[in-house]
Amino acid sequence: AQSVTQLDSQVPVFEEAPVELRCNYSSSVSVYLFWYVQYPNQGLQLLLKYLSGSTLVKGINGFEAEFNKSQTSFHLRKPSVHISDTAEYFCAVTPTSGTYKYIFGTGTRLKVLA
Amino acid sequence: DTGVSQNPRHKITKRGQNVTFRCDPISEHNRLYWYRQTLGQGPEFLTYFQNEAQLEKSRLLSDRFSAERPKGSFSTLEIQRTEQGDSAMYLCASSFLDGQGAAGYTFGSGTRLTVV
């Protein structure tokens, strides 16, 4: 079985400051990893994904994440946030074979302050 | 490509009534997933289809829930005899199963169900 832990339920940050949203996972098998963003009353939008290869992956809207297998982490970063980045961010994993159903974390609410 | 479409966007129903939600996936996607998201939580897997075959159902999906995907196109999720605990956002997602497996879902905007 897999599990995902997002330790920070809320992260306030000032506009143009850097931000890191943390994600740790547990799995006995190889997994793919994802970050999704959810704006109020919307579905989830894929930010980036790690399937294989380079451990640093770049996504949309200037976000990037680094896969660290030894620490079982996949933290999301952005060097300079905008007010429009205010949203809920979800980390998810799925085994590399089988149903590809996702296990989501509980989410981190990023609030960008002016 | 119009994305994944879900209808209705919002549904308010009285306890005990039946409700049905519809999901239209991206046309070339062969996998379709249903998730449920309650307030302050991440989405939880309910069921998925590959083409028209329903391949897995979560234990969260009680006997009151049924999902179909006739002809491998759109899907419906029906909840019979709704309870207040069914109030949630119901999310549909689709994906194309390629050589790398999960290329990443495309989610719809969801159907928010409120049972009063």
Side-chain angles (χ1 to χ4, degrees):
Chain A
Q2 293 75 44
S3 66
V4 176
T5 302
Q6 293 182 249
L7 288 172
D8 305 306
S9 59
Q10 292 191 64
V11 173
V13 62
F14 285 104
E15 194 174 18
E16 297 182 8
V19 69
E20 178 179 84
L21 306 184
R22 296 181 294 169
C23 172
N24 287 86
Y25 71 94
S26 172
S27 177
S28 58
V29 299
S30 296
V31 294
Y32 297 132
L33 300 109
F34 305 85
W35 275 99
Y36 281 85
V37 61
Q38 186 176 35
Y39 299 101
N41 297 314
Q42 298 286 322
L44 282 76
Q45 180 182 7
L46 179 66
L47 275 179
L48 48 79
K49 59 183 183 276
Y50 174 78
L51 303 181
S52 64
S54 172
T55 57
L56 182 64
V57 292
K58 295 188 183 298
I60 63 172
N61 301 341
F63 284 94
E64 64 181 32
E66 186 156 20
F67 170 54
N68 188 318
K69 189 174 182 179
S70 63
Q71 296 187 1
T72 60
S73 67
F74 190 53
H75 301 330
L76 181 71
R77 303 185 184 99
K78 186 170 183 178
S80 175
V81 295
H82 304 289
I83 295 288
S84 60
D85 292 323
T86 295
E88 189 91 20
Y89 291 79
F90 291 95
C91 181
V93 302
T94 187
T96 57
S97 62
T99 64
Y100 304 116
K101 63 184 180 185
Y102 287 13
I103 308 302
F104 284 89
T106 52
T108 297
R109 183 172 299 277
L110 175 63
K111 186 170 177 61
V112 181
L113 308 169
Chain B
D1 179 359
T2 57
V4 178
S5 176
Q6 290 190 249
N7 289 287
R9 289 294 308 276
H10 303 275
K11 179 71 176 179
I12 300 175
T13 191
K14 291 184 178 179
R15 190 176 54 182
Q17 297 294 305
N18 299 343
V19 294
T20 301
F21 311 140
R22 177 177 169 127
C23 172
D24 287 272
I26 293 172
S27 57
E28 59 267 28
H29 284 185
N30 53 5
R31 285 207 168 181
L32 187 148
Y33 299 79
W34 285 98
Y35 283 78
R36 181 172 68 186
Q37 185 180 22
T38 53
L39 205 60
Q41 299 296 316
E44 295 174 293
F45 170 80
L46 292 179
T47 188
Y48 89 100
F49 294 83
Q50 179 158 321
N51 300 314
E52 66 275 12
Q54 186 174 19
L55 298 185
E56 185 172 338
K57 291 172 60 174
S58 163
R59 282 172 290 182
L60 292 174
L61 221 61
S62 74
D63 292 343
R64 296 184 297 105
F65 289 72
S66 63
E68 294 182 342
R69 192 184 183 197
K71 302 178 183 178
S73 55
F74 70 92
S75 176
T76 58
L77 178 67
E78 181 183 16
I79 309 175
Q80 295 182 326
R81 304 181 303 281
T82 52
E83 302 172 356
Q84 287 188 321
D86 297 331
S87 295
M89 174 81 90
Y90 290 83
L91 293 163
C92 176
S94 68
S95 70
F96 182 73
L97 182 62
D98 60 11
Q100 266 193 316
Y105 295 172
T106 300
F107 278 90
S109 297
T111 294
R112 182 168 295 283
L113 173 66
T114 302
V115 181
V116 298

